[in-house]
């Protein structure tokens, strides 16, 4: 007797996802693109970062003082 014998049972959630993917075939690609847009970061350019830091103007200690 096999423990991993496939049965004919499919949960409601699995059938819902299968139907959703059939209706919208680009769903997984859209999800991956959204993840990449939010979480995958571009590599840092150290030279550009140094130039940005060097070009910053320091803020005065008392911002609202006009002297």
């Amino acid at each position: 007797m096999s423990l991993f014998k496939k049965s004919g049972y499919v949960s409601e959630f699995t059938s819902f996802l299968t139907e959703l993917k059939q209706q919208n075939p680009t769903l997984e690609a859209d999800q991956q693109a959204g993840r990449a847009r939010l979480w995958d970061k571009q590599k840092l350019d150290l030279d550009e970062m140094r130039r940005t830091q060097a070009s910053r103007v320091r803020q005065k200690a008392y911002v609202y003082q006009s002297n």
Side-chain angles (χ1 to χ4, degrees), residues 11-53:
S11 69
E12 289 182 30
F13 186 72
T14 303
S15 61
F16 168 74
L17 285 180
T18 305
E19 184 180 328
L20 183 65
K21 288 179 184 179
Q22 287 175 352
Q23 291 174 357
N24 188 0
T26 63
L27 182 66
E28 289 185 41
D30 293 343
Q31 286 178 332
Q32 290 175 357
R35 179 201 177 277
R37 188 173 39 246
L38 291 174
W39 298 106
D40 295 344
K41 304 296 179 190
Q42 295 178 357
K43 292 189 177 186
L44 294 175
D45 183 8
L46 296 178
D47 186 46
E48 183 180 344
M49 194 166 67
R50 284 187 199 107
R51 285 186 281 128
T52 303
Q53 288 177 351

Side-chain angles (χ1 to χ4, degrees), residues 53-66:
Q53 288 177 351
S55 66
R56 284 194 178 139
V57 177
R58 289 191 47 93
Q59 184 175 355
K60 295 181 181 182
Y62 299 102
V63 181
Y64 300 107
Q65 188 176 0
S66 59

